[in-house]
C-alpha cells in the first residue's frame, strides 16, 4: 500500500504534464495555421494577379461562337472567373449578373469565364450568357492561364496603361443592387 500512493501521484503528475504539452502544441498549430492562411503569408496563394500584371495573348471562342482575342478587350472591361464547384461563386453569381446587366457598354462591358466540366457548369454558362460574353473552359484553360487566375471567384478590370493589356484593378466590388421604384 505504501508504494501505491507514490505511483498514483506520479501518474497524476504525468497526466498533468501531458495535458500542458498538448495545450502548447494546439496553441502552436493555431499560430501556424493563422500565419499560413494570412494574405501575403508564407503559404498564401495569390487570389488575383497584381495590378499592372500584363495579360498574355489569347484567342478563344465564346459560348455563342464569337472569336475573342486579347485585342478585343476594351479599357475598363470587367473580367470574371467562376467555378460551379465554388461556394462563394454561387453566392456572387447573382450579384455579378445584376451588375453586368446594368453596365453602360452592355454585353461588351464584361467577360465571364466558367471553369469546370460542361455538365456542372451549364447553369452558370446559361445565366451569364444572358448578360455578357461568356466562355467555358477546363481547369488550366487559355484564359485562366493568360490572366493568371488561380482562385475563384476572381473579378478584374483590364486596360492598356502602357499600350499592352494589363490588370488595372484586382479587387472589384460589385455595385449594391438598387431597388427600382414602381
Amino acid at each position: 500500500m505504501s508504494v501505491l500512493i507514490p505511483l498514483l501521484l506520479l501518474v497524476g503528475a504525468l497526466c498533468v504534464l501531458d495535458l500542458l504539452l498538448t495545450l502548447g502544441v494546439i496553441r502552436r498549430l493555431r499560430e501556424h495555421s493563422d500565419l499560413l492562411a494570412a494574405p501575403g503569408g508564407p503559404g498564401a496563394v495569390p487570389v488575383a494577379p497584381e495590378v499592372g500584371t500584363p495579360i498574355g495573348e489569347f484567342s478563344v471562342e465564346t459560348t455563342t461562337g464569337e472569336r475573342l482575342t486579347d485585342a478585343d478587350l476594351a479599357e475598363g472591361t470587367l473580367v470574371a472567373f467562376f467555378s460551379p464547384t465554388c461556394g462563394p461563386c454561387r453566392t456572387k453569381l447573382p450579384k455579378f449578373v445584376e451588375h453586368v446587366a446594368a453596365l453602360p457598354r452592355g454585353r461588351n462591358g464584361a467577360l465571364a469565364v466558367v471553369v469546370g466540366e460542361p455538365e456542372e457548369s451549364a447553369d452558370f454558362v446559361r445565366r451569364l450568357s444572358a448578360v455578357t460574353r461568356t466562355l467555358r473552359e477546363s481547369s488550366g484553360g487559355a484564359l485562366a492561364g493568360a490572366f493568371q487566375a488561380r482562385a475563384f471567384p476572381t473579378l478584374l478590370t483590364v486596360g492598356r496603361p502602357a499600350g499592352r493589356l494589363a490588370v488595372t484593378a484586382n479587387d472589384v466590388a460589385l455595385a449594391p443592387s438598387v431597388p427600382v421604384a414602381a
Side-chain angles (χ1 to χ4, degrees), residues 80-100:
F81 291 86
F82 293 102
S83 172
T85 60
C86 153
C89 293
R90 286 189 293 276
T91 303
K92 194 167 266 191
L93 182 67
K95 289 180 182 179
F96 179 80
V97 168
E98 184 179 329
H99 178 83
V100 170

Side-chain angles (χ1 to χ4, degrees), residues 80-163:
F81 291 86
F82 293 102
S83 172
T85 60
C86 153
C89 293
R90 286 189 293 276
T91 303
K92 194 167 266 191
L93 182 67
K95 289 180 182 179
F96 179 80
V97 168
E98 184 179 329
H99 178 83
V100 170
L103 289 176
R105 292 192 327 221
R107 295 183 62 77
N108 294 330
L111 171 65
V113 182
V114 180
V115 179
E117 295 305 315
E119 310 81 45
E120 61 188 9
S121 60
D123 182 52
F124 273 53
V125 169
R126 179 186 54 75
R127 292 168 69 186
L128 290 164
S129 294
V131 293
T132 191
R133 298 172 292 182
T134 305
L135 64 105
R136 191 208 61 79
E137 65 180 21
S138 299
S139 183
L143 276 177
F147 280 86
Q148 301 174 30
R150 297 179 191 93
F152 305 104
T154 296
L155 278 72
L156 312 165
T157 57
V158 296
R160 301 183 187 281

Side-chain angles (χ1 to χ4, degrees), residues 48-56 75-77 79 81 146-149 154-162 164-172:
E50 294 293 320
V51 171
T53 300
I55 305 303
E75 183 79 28
T77 299
V79 181
F81 291 86
F147 280 86
Q148 301 174 30
T154 296
L155 278 72
L156 312 165
T157 57
V158 296
R160 301 183 187 281
R164 181 171 180 200
L165 189 64
V167 174
T168 55
N170 64 359
D171 189 19
V172 177

